[in-house]
Amino acid sequence: MGKHATHIVWDWNGTLFHDVDAVIGATNSAFAEIGLEPVTLEMYRELYCVPVPRFYERLMGRLPTDAEWLVMDEAFHRHYTEHRVGCGLAEGVDLLLEGWQAAGHSQSILSMFGHDELIPLVRGFGIESRFVLVEGRTGPSGGTKSAQMVRHLAALERVDPGRTVVIGDAVDDAVAARDAGAHAVLYTGGSHSRGSLEAAGVPVVDSLAEAVELAGALAS
């Protein structure tokens, strides 16, 4: 990788890892424990936002208390661990990662999924060697990605934020990219509806192949 070559920061959940069905299943299982009505995929994509307590506010009509949030968060992650077992990489990911690396570009993963769980997942899919850095969340869950994105890019010595493209499935990915001085492309295969993503004011695509193509153009 040459200095200031184009770099992609990939999101994990809902982007490289196609787990939207597991997320909906875990959300509804957690909701059942606390007496909330189940949500459909369409409803989830329209309402989902971060910080995650704001998402629950949209569903409940009020912000959850700190105690309620802890119960909700624990229930979601417990059920997600069960539901994610049947999930795999998004379509074509192996070839996209291989092709980007072979073209002399670099890539990394920055996820709000717990770091200690993320690493063995990435390793288990046999793609760890495609990335110069893989980082997950180390603090409390439910927050935003901006501060982590700034630290992530600062840790990559030969990466210029101005020639970096963040590819993710959430508006928060675009916000984090902006705050770190990078570009963003948002993908409709995950947590947000197309309409929600378009409000971020960055390119929105329906496939990761399109995202990679745009990344090359945006940072050239």
Side-chain angles (χ1 to χ4, degrees), residues 17-19 21-22 80-89 125:
F17 188 50
H18 184 65
D19 64 346
D21 291 335
Y80 176 79
T81 299
E82 299 170 2
H83 284 277
R84 80 174 190 217
V85 174
C87 299
L89 297 176
F125 284 113

Short mmCIF file of all heavy atoms in Angstrom, two decimals, residues 17-19 21-22 80-89 125:
data_model
loop_
_atom_site.label_atom_id
_atom_site.label_comp_id
_atom_site.label_asym_id
_atom_site.label_seq_id
_atom_site.Cartn_x
_atom_site.Cartn_y
_atom_site.Cartn_z
N PHE A 17 -21.39 -7.97 7.25
CA PHE A 17 -22.08 -9.09 7.89
C PHE A 17 -23.58 -8.89 7.73
O PHE A 17 -24.15 -7.95 8.27
CB PHE A 17 -21.70 -9.14 9.36
CG PHE A 17 -22.18 -10.36 10.10
CD1 PHE A 17 -21.98 -11.64 9.59
CD2 PHE A 17 -22.82 -10.24 11.33
CE1 PHE A 17 -22.40 -12.77 10.29
CE2 PHE A 17 -23.25 -11.35 12.03
CZ PHE A 17 -23.04 -12.62 11.51
N HIS A 18 -24.21 -9.78 6.95
CA HIS A 18 -25.64 -9.63 6.64
C HIS A 18 -26.47 -10.24 7.78
O HIS A 18 -26.85 -11.40 7.75
CB HIS A 18 -25.96 -10.30 5.31
CG HIS A 18 -27.38 -10.10 4.88
ND1 HIS A 18 -27.87 -8.85 4.56
CD2 HIS A 18 -28.41 -10.97 4.74
CE1 HIS A 18 -29.15 -8.97 4.22
NE2 HIS A 18 -29.51 -10.23 4.33
N ASP A 19 -26.73 -9.40 8.77
CA ASP A 19 -27.40 -9.91 9.98
C ASP A 19 -28.72 -9.22 10.27
O ASP A 19 -29.21 -9.28 11.40
CB ASP A 19 -26.46 -9.74 11.19
CG ASP A 19 -26.17 -8.27 11.50
OD1 ASP A 19 -26.45 -7.40 10.64
OD2 ASP A 19 -25.66 -7.99 12.60
N ASP A 21 -31.77 -9.95 9.61
CA ASP A 21 -32.80 -10.84 10.14
C ASP A 21 -32.55 -11.16 11.61
O ASP A 21 -33.49 -11.25 12.41
CB ASP A 21 -32.86 -12.14 9.32
CG ASP A 21 -33.39 -11.92 7.91
OD1 ASP A 21 -34.12 -10.93 7.71
OD2 ASP A 21 -33.06 -12.72 7.02
N ALA A 22 -31.29 -11.33 11.97
CA ALA A 22 -30.94 -11.59 13.37
C ALA A 22 -31.24 -10.39 14.24
O ALA A 22 -31.69 -10.52 15.38
CB ALA A 22 -29.47 -11.97 13.48
N TYR A 80 -29.48 -11.64 20.35
CA TYR A 80 -28.72 -11.50 19.10
C TYR A 80 -27.67 -12.60 18.99
O TYR A 80 -27.45 -13.15 17.89
CB TYR A 80 -28.05 -10.12 19.03
CG TYR A 80 -27.18 -9.96 17.81
CD1 TYR A 80 -27.74 -9.68 16.56
CD2 TYR A 80 -25.80 -10.10 17.88
CE1 TYR A 80 -26.94 -9.55 15.44
CE2 TYR A 80 -25.00 -9.97 16.77
CZ TYR A 80 -25.58 -9.69 15.54
OH TYR A 80 -24.79 -9.58 14.42
N THR A 81 -27.03 -12.94 20.08
CA THR A 81 -26.02 -14.00 20.06
C THR A 81 -26.61 -15.31 19.56
O THR A 81 -25.95 -16.06 18.83
CB THR A 81 -25.42 -14.18 21.47
OG1 THR A 81 -24.79 -12.96 21.87
CG2 THR A 81 -24.39 -15.30 21.49
N GLU A 82 -27.86 -15.57 19.90
CA GLU A 82 -28.54 -16.79 19.44
C GLU A 82 -28.93 -16.67 17.96
O GLU A 82 -28.73 -17.61 17.19
CB GLU A 82 -29.80 -17.03 20.28
CG GLU A 82 -29.54 -17.23 21.76
CD GLU A 82 -30.82 -17.22 22.58
OE1 GLU A 82 -31.90 -17.09 21.96
OE2 GLU A 82 -30.74 -17.33 23.81
N HIS A 83 -29.46 -15.53 17.57
CA HIS A 83 -29.98 -15.36 16.22
C HIS A 83 -28.89 -15.24 15.15
O HIS A 83 -29.11 -15.60 13.99
CB HIS A 83 -30.88 -14.11 16.15
CG HIS A 83 -32.23 -14.29 16.76
ND1 HIS A 83 -33.29 -14.85 16.08
CD2 HIS A 83 -32.71 -13.98 17.99
CE1 HIS A 83 -34.36 -14.87 16.86
NE2 HIS A 83 -34.04 -14.36 18.02
N ARG A 84 -27.71 -14.71 15.52
CA ARG A 84 -26.70 -14.43 14.50
C ARG A 84 -26.03 -15.69 13.95
O ARG A 84 -25.33 -15.63 12.94
CB ARG A 84 -25.63 -13.50 15.07
CG ARG A 84 -24.60 -14.20 15.93
CD ARG A 84 -23.48 -13.29 16.36
NE ARG A 84 -22.42 -14.08 16.98
CZ ARG A 84 -21.70 -13.67 18.02
NH1 ARG A 84 -21.92 -12.50 18.56
NH2 ARG A 84 -20.75 -14.46 18.50
N VAL A 85 -26.23 -16.83 14.61
CA VAL A 85 -25.54 -18.06 14.23
C VAL A 85 -25.78 -18.41 12.76
O VAL A 85 -24.89 -18.91 12.07
CB VAL A 85 -25.96 -19.23 15.16
CG1 VAL A 85 -25.37 -20.54 14.68
CG2 VAL A 85 -25.53 -18.94 16.59
N GLY A 86 -26.99 -18.15 12.28
CA GLY A 86 -27.30 -18.50 10.91
C GLY A 86 -26.95 -17.45 9.88
O GLY A 86 -27.28 -17.60 8.70
N CYS A 87 -26.28 -16.38 10.29
CA CYS A 87 -25.97 -15.27 9.37
C CYS A 87 -24.59 -15.45 8.73
O CYS A 87 -23.71 -16.10 9.28
CB CYS A 87 -26.00 -13.95 10.12
SG CYS A 87 -27.60 -13.54 10.84
N GLY A 88 -24.44 -14.84 7.55
CA GLY A 88 -23.16 -14.92 6.85
C GLY A 88 -22.77 -13.57 6.28
O GLY A 88 -23.42 -12.54 6.54
N LEU A 89 -21.72 -13.56 5.49
CA LEU A 89 -21.28 -12.33 4.84
C LEU A 89 -22.27 -11.92 3.78
O LEU A 89 -22.99 -12.75 3.20
CB LEU A 89 -19.91 -12.54 4.21
CG LEU A 89 -18.75 -12.87 5.15
CD1 LEU A 89 -17.48 -13.13 4.34
CD2 LEU A 89 -18.52 -11.74 6.15
N PHE A 125 -14.54 -16.14 9.32
CA PHE A 125 -14.91 -16.06 7.91
C PHE A 125 -13.68 -16.08 6.99
O PHE A 125 -13.82 -16.04 5.76
CB PHE A 125 -15.74 -14.80 7.63
CG PHE A 125 -17.16 -14.90 8.08
CD1 PHE A 125 -17.63 -14.11 9.11
CD2 PHE A 125 -18.03 -15.80 7.48
CE1 PHE A 125 -18.95 -14.20 9.53
CE2 PHE A 125 -19.35 -15.90 7.90
CZ PHE A 125 -19.82 -15.10 8.92
#
